[in-house]
Amino acid sequence: MSGAAGPVSGAATVTVEVFSDVVCPWCLIGRARLERAVAAFTAAEGAPAVDVVYRSFLLEPDMPRDRDGSMTEHLVERMGVGPDVVGRMMDRVADIAAGEGLDVDLSRVRAISSFDAHRVLRLAHDRGLGRPVKAALMHAHFVEARHLGRADELTEVAAGAGLDAAEVEAVLARDAYADAVAADVAAAAAAGVSGVPHFMLTGPGLPPGERLEVSGAQEAAVLEAALATAAGSRD
């Protein structure tokens, strides 16, 4: 548990801030596990509400925004290993994702900048659509192998999840929410977050100003236990 300041939830709410990247496969797995944990936790009689807030994290902040190409090619170049090594890594992650009901073929995934996707996610948060838009973007990237670095595809996916297409286009046409994304990245660095997904929980079961932190794509049971602790309802 960390004593660093975080948003303090209301008496009947547990807040989960999730630092993650749209293009991170472990974040895809972590999102699925969190959703299962939230569903199980809130199903109990008298359980508090859970507010999930997705915050920006850029695994590769220097990735060109107009980049095109496969993730396999990118990792081979970046890691200096053969495609067979990368393929085995991807297969392992895909197997774990399959265990969460996620059908992904990482060999088809594109290596792109996620910066604009994070700007759209900040818009989605402001419109109360953070969770469905996050799910839609990750599905588009990992399952459909769509190019979320392109404004037209990003707009189509976001609009399909409930955002107004014209509003998304307006955000992408200028630098809207760039400062918000940068602020999230800075907040993650200040909190010592070096890998994602990273969960920060606040709630009535924790002292004011303190938060419970869980790192990595932990099993749903671990996240459900963290929710109970933050709520003050753990046996």
Side-chain angles (χ1 to χ4, degrees):
M1 184 179 297
S2 168
V8 179
S9 65
T13 302
V14 172
T15 299
V16 186
E17 291 182 278
V18 188
F19 285 94
S20 72
D21 198 347
V22 173
V23 298
C24 165
W26 289 108
C27 296
L28 175 74
I29 294 166
R31 193 202 69 81
R33 290 175 172 174
L34 176 63
E35 290 294 337
R36 284 205 292 121
V38 170
F41 176 73
T42 55
E45 184 176 355
V50 176
D51 182 23
V52 178
V53 179
Y54 283 101
R55 301 188 65 177
S56 304
F57 189 95
L58 301 174
L59 284 175
E60 298 199 52
D62 297 326
M63 182 77 79
R65 291 164 78 173
D66 60 351
R67 191 193 190 286
D68 197 3
S70 74
M71 180 58 70
T72 299
E73 294 168 342
H74 174 66
L75 290 178
V76 165
E77 179 180 351
R78 191 187 74 177
M79 298 173 65
V81 298
D84 55 332
V85 175
V86 172
R88 287 194 296 271
M89 291 169 49
M90 289 182 165
D91 288 345
R92 174 175 172 268
V93 177
D95 286 345
I96 295 172
E100 300 297 328
L102 303 166
D103 182 17
V104 300
D105 180 358
L106 296 178
S107 68
R108 298 175 58 238
V109 170
R110 299 172 182 272
I112 63 166
S113 167
S114 59
F115 186 80
D116 285 340
H118 282 294
R119 294 200 294 128
V120 170
L121 278 170
R122 297 300 302 181
L123 168 67
H125 172 71
D126 284 355
R127 299 296 177 265
L129 293 168
R131 287 167 77 178
V133 171
K134 178 76 168 184
L137 292 178
M138 298 191 96
H139 181 86
H141 179 73
F142 286 105
V143 178
E144 300 174 347
R146 298 188 66 167
H147 196 316
L148 297 185
R150 294 175 177 160
D152 57 342
E153 294 205 45
L154 187 50
T155 299
E156 183 177 340
V157 174
L163 285 176
D164 180 77
E167 192 170 21
V168 176
E169 289 173 347
V171 165
L172 295 175
R174 57 187 195 277
D175 290 332
Y177 292 104
D179 289 346
V181 173
D184 276 357
V185 171
V193 177
S194 58
V196 286
H198 189 89
F199 308 89
M200 297 181 177
L201 296 84
T202 55
L206 300 174
E210 290 197 3
R211 65 195 178 200
L212 176 64
E213 302 193 12
V214 180
S215 298
Q218 300 292 339
E219 296 289 344
V222 174
L223 295 171
E224 187 178 351
L227 289 168
T229 298
S233 59
R234 191 168 186 178
D235 294 335

